[in-house]
Amino acid sequence: MPEPAIVDEITTYPKTGRFLLGRLRHDLSDEEKRILEDSIDEVEVVTEPRRILERGATCGHSTMLIDGFILRTLDGPEQRYGVSFHVPGDFVDLHCFALKRLDHNIDTVGEVRLGYVPHTRLIEIMEEQPHLARVFWFATLLDAAMHREWVMKLEQLTTARRLAHIFAEIWTRLQMVGLGDAQGFDTPLTQGHLAEMSGATAIHVNRAIRALREQGIVDVQRGRINIADKSELEKFGRFTPDYLYGEGELSLREGFY
Amino acid sequence: MPEPAIVDEITTYPKTGRFLLGRLRHDLSDEEKRILEDSIDEVEVVTEPRRILERGATCGHSTMLIDGFILRTLDGPEQRYGVSFHVPGDFVDLHCFALKRLDHNIDTVGEVRLGYVPHTRLIEIMEEQPHLARVFWFATLLDAAMHREWVMKLEQLTTARRLAHIFAEIWTRLQMVGLGDAQGFDTPLTQGHLAEMSGATAIHVNRAIRALREQGIVDVQRGRINIADKSELEKFGRFTPDYLYGEGELSLREGFY
DNA sequence: CGCATCCTTGAGGGCCATCAAAATGCGTGG
DNA sequence: CCACGCATTTTGATGGCCCTCAAGGATGCG
């Protein structure tokens, strides 16, 4: 079970209570949290895998991921490539607001619940709530910091280590927003998705997963990741959570904003 | 020679005239350009390779790259990894303003000229110039879009193709800001730097470069990249410039802001 | 002209893609 | 409850890409 403080936050703000939880949320006032919660004018449940935004699209709203998993993807000549993933509480396409035309796709994985914020509403917030506006900026830069970490890991690690890093990052991010559990987490990600995210074939991902299992690091099953040895997982995947801007070297808890 | 319009822009705004040239600069008013130009309170020339900002650092100013090349890097256990590069006109560490603590390093390559903007000045701009503030946001999201493209290319391409992509991107970005020439461009990047950027060893980069040369695509010399066949270079590296938000599918020239 | 840095080349081995095929799990409908 | 179709997971064999270790050659600077 997550901490009582987190349960309380989700109860008070059921649609946006996980936004920046464990990061900069402590810096938002109750009024700001309420403004954000009320900015969502529509909630939708998507059960089938769906591309909710496509490269080149303009959009009139931005999307809060309330529940489920989302992949940010780019299409290659024959294949889709995952460039990042999202967990509940992520404002997945603030980019679309500031860039207008999106450079990538937003694809759901498994069942998700989405909240939509009209851009007319966002524009008002930008004008009337400069502090909240800056927190939005921070949220998009957090994505950029995660992209940079991925770039380095792709340059540095073998497939098995990349997978270890991905599992460690997902688990950490889920726990930041009060999800996952002590042994691991549930996820709709298949080995095919992991292949798209790690730049390997599904076949090789399968072999790498077997190696991870045989080393007693992590056990991957259909719909479920069990972390057998967290310390070894993070060591093997060279994972340090600093770049997520939660606790640690880069933490902002000192109250910068 | 670059177009007269670009020469004029650099003459009028010698320190910031290349900022977002070919992208969103056309959307800045003369007043905004002047405010930006005057926000630089100090100019420094750095001749030796230097780490001007280190992961974990806080900083009281942000840096405009006026001339030269800069690498954004992350340190691995034994090696440095390049996660992106910068050309003149790039505001290299707006991130440091919005994130406060930087997640990566900023390293110079060759001789550079830098302009420093104090954060007190940036805060004033954020408050008094909402449009300029949004353009700054856009500039950081452009970096994120480039990161995403790199992630995909690292997942997708062999070393030789990665190098082709890097050369194509550098050349395109240089030409956007009125640099480079019809045959290629000068650069202080060594094969070692290219190895850091492509996730390969310097030895393998050397062999990949030879292959590119033998295929008549590009000739890499000390301090100079000659593009023998632009069309073949872009095809081989699977480079499409859309994600740079200049001309093309994602262009913003319609005047969105 | 000596030194440091950068570039180049060769040999052997590990990681990973591809082609091919089979087993497993899961939802649907009979 | 079973049969079936489909996506997912698993396994094997072969070959290409790239790393490592090792050594030598070129370039530029003082």
Side-chain angles (χ1 to χ4, degrees):
Chain A
M1 279 299 291
E3 301 167 29
I6 294 183
V7 174
D8 194 44
E9 198 74 17
I10 310 294
T11 307
T12 312
Y13 310 101
K15 289 175 284 192
T16 59
R18 293 194 162 97
F19 178 61
L20 288 180
L21 247 185
R23 276 81 40 109
L24 210 52
R25 188 170 185 84
H26 60 83
D27 204 54
L28 291 178
S29 70
D30 290 342
E31 186 198 350
E32 287 172 329
K33 292 176 187 175
R34 180 50 56 193
I35 288 171
L36 179 61
E37 179 77 11
D38 293 343
S39 71
I40 291 184
D41 73 338
E42 190 192 340
V43 173
E44 183 183 9
V45 174
V46 177
T47 54
E48 296 295 301
R50 188 203 295 173
R51 176 155 294 183
I52 60 177
L53 279 173
E54 180 139 23
R55 176 184 170 93
T58 58
C59 52
H61 59 257
S62 280
T63 309
M64 168 68 63
L65 178 55
I66 303 175
D67 276 314
F69 285 80
I70 275 181
L71 286 184
R72 219 178 267 267
T73 68
L74 285 168
D75 288 325
E78 330 214 289
Q79 201 196 327
R80 184 175 75 164
Y81 293 89
V83 297
S84 68
F85 64 86
H86 287 283
V87 299
D90 286 351
F91 221 144
V92 291
D93 59 359
L94 274 179
H95 302 258
C96 195
F97 174 64
L99 287 175
K100 285 300 173 191
R101 285 189 190 276
L102 217 54
D103 63 303
H104 57 272
N105 314 301
I106 306 284
D107 296 345
T108 68
V109 179
E111 181 168 327
V112 302
R113 202 148 58 94
L114 306 171
Y116 296 117
V117 182
H119 281 178
T120 49
R121 196 77 199 78
L122 274 182
I123 290 169
E124 289 169 21
I125 292 176
M126 295 294 291
E127 286 170 359
E128 295 160 15
Q129 301 287 333
H131 177 255
L132 197 48
R134 209 165 148 197
V135 169
F136 285 165
W137 190 10
F138 171 83
T140 62
L141 291 183
L142 202 52
D143 284 337
M146 292 189 279
H147 290 335
R148 284 189 283 274
E149 192 78 7
W150 273 50
V151 167
M152 177 180 66
K153 294 309 173 189
L154 286 168
E155 289 171 350
Q156 188 185 0
L157 303 180
T158 62
T159 298
R161 291 179 192 272
R162 290 177 189 175
L163 292 173
H165 190 272
I166 288 172
F167 297 146
E169 179 177 324
I170 295 179
W171 199 26
T172 303
R173 285 170 64 185
L174 285 174
Q175 291 187 323
M176 278 177 170
V177 297
L179 296 171
D181 53 60
Q183 285 73 46
F185 55 93
D186 296 324
T187 175
L189 291 172
T190 65
Q191 293 185 5
H193 293 126
L194 293 171
E196 290 173 344
M197 297 164 80
S198 61
T201 59
I203 294 172
H204 189 65
V205 163
N206 180 272
R207 294 190 229 263
I209 284 174
R210 185 173 57 165
L212 288 171
R213 182 162 31 228
E214 287 170 354
Q215 288 172 68
I217 293 177
V218 57
D219 185 31
V220 178
Q221 297 163 3
R222 200 178 280 247
R224 170 82 194 170
I225 312 282
N226 278 305
I227 312 290
D229 185 336
K230 177 181 179 179
S231 150
E232 195 53 38
L233 176 78
E234 300 189 344
K235 185 176 155 201
F236 188 72
R238 303 205 186 144
F239 174 79
T240 55
D242 297 341
Y243 68 98
L244 300 174
Y245 283 83
E247 306 297 341
E249 192 191 344
L250 308 176
S251 173
L252 297 170
R253 291 206 172 261
E254 307 303 313
F256 274 112
Y257 267 53
Chain B
M1 278 300 289
E3 302 166 28
I6 296 183
V7 174
D8 194 45
E9 198 75 17
I10 311 294
T11 308
T12 313
Y13 309 101
K15 289 176 284 192
T16 59
R18 293 195 162 95
F19 178 61
L20 287 180
L21 246 184
R23 275 82 39 113
L24 211 52
R25 189 170 184 84
H26 59 83
D27 204 54
L28 291 178
S29 69
D30 289 342
E31 185 197 353
E32 287 172 329
K33 292 177 186 175
R34 180 50 57 195
I35 288 171
L36 179 61
E37 179 76 11
D38 292 343
S39 72
I40 292 182
D41 74 338
E42 191 192 340
V43 172
E44 183 183 10
V45 173
V46 177
T47 55
E48 296 296 301
R50 187 203 295 174
R51 176 155 294 183
I52 59 176
L53 280 173
E54 182 140 21
R55 175 185 171 93
T58 57
C59 52
H61 59 257
S62 280
T63 310
M64 168 68 63
L65 179 55
I66 302 175
D67 276 314
F69 285 80
I70 275 181
L71 287 184
R72 217 178 268 267
T73 68
L74 285 168
D75 288 325
E78 328 214 289
Q79 201 196 328
R80 185 174 73 164
Y81 292 89
V83 297
S84 68
F85 64 88
H86 287 284
V87 299
D90 286 351
F91 220 146
V92 291
D93 59 359
L94 274 179
H95 303 257
C96 196
F97 174 64
L99 286 175
K100 285 301 174 190
R101 283 188 192 277
L102 217 55
D103 63 302
H104 56 272
N105 315 300
I106 306 285
D107 296 344
T108 68
V109 179
E111 181 168 327
V112 302
R113 202 148 58 95
L114 306 171
Y116 296 117
V117 181
H119 281 179
T120 49
R121 197 73 201 80
L122 274 181
I123 289 169
E124 289 169 20
I125 291 177
M126 294 294 291
E127 286 169 359
E128 295 162 14
Q129 302 286 333
H131 178 253
L132 196 47
R134 208 164 150 198
V135 169
F136 285 165
W137 190 10
F138 171 84
T140 62
L141 291 183
L142 202 52
D143 284 336
M146 291 188 280
H147 291 334
R148 284 189 284 274
E149 192 77 7
W150 273 51
V151 167
M152 177 180 67
K153 293 309 173 189
L154 286 168
E155 289 172 348
Q156 187 185 0
L157 302 180
T158 61
T159 300
R161 292 180 192 271
R162 290 177 190 178
L163 292 174
H165 190 272
I166 288 171
F167 296 146
E169 179 177 324
I170 296 179
W171 199 26
T172 302
R173 286 170 62 184
L174 286 174
Q175 290 187 324
M176 278 178 170
V177 297
L179 295 171
D181 54 58
Q183 285 73 47
F185 55 94
D186 296 324
T187 174
L189 292 171
T190 65
Q191 294 185 4
H193 294 125
L194 293 171
E196 290 173 344
M197 297 163 78
S198 61
T201 59
I203 294 172
H204 189 66
V205 163
N206 181 273
R207 294 189 230 262
I209 284 174
R210 186 175 54 167
L212 288 171
R213 181 162 33 229
E214 287 172 353
Q215 288 172 68
I217 293 177
V218 57
D219 185 31
V220 179
Q221 296 163 5
R222 202 178 279 245
R224 169 82 194 169
I225 312 282
N226 278 304
I227 312 289
D229 185 336
K230 176 180 179 180
S231 150
E232 195 54 38
L233 175 78
E234 300 190 343
K235 186 176 153 198
F236 187 73
R238 301 201 189 149
F239 174 79
T240 55
D242 297 341
Y243 67 98
L244 299 174
Y245 283 83
E247 306 296 341
E249 192 191 345
L250 308 176
S251 173
L252 296 170
R253 290 203 173 262
E254 307 302 314
F256 274 110
Y257 267 53

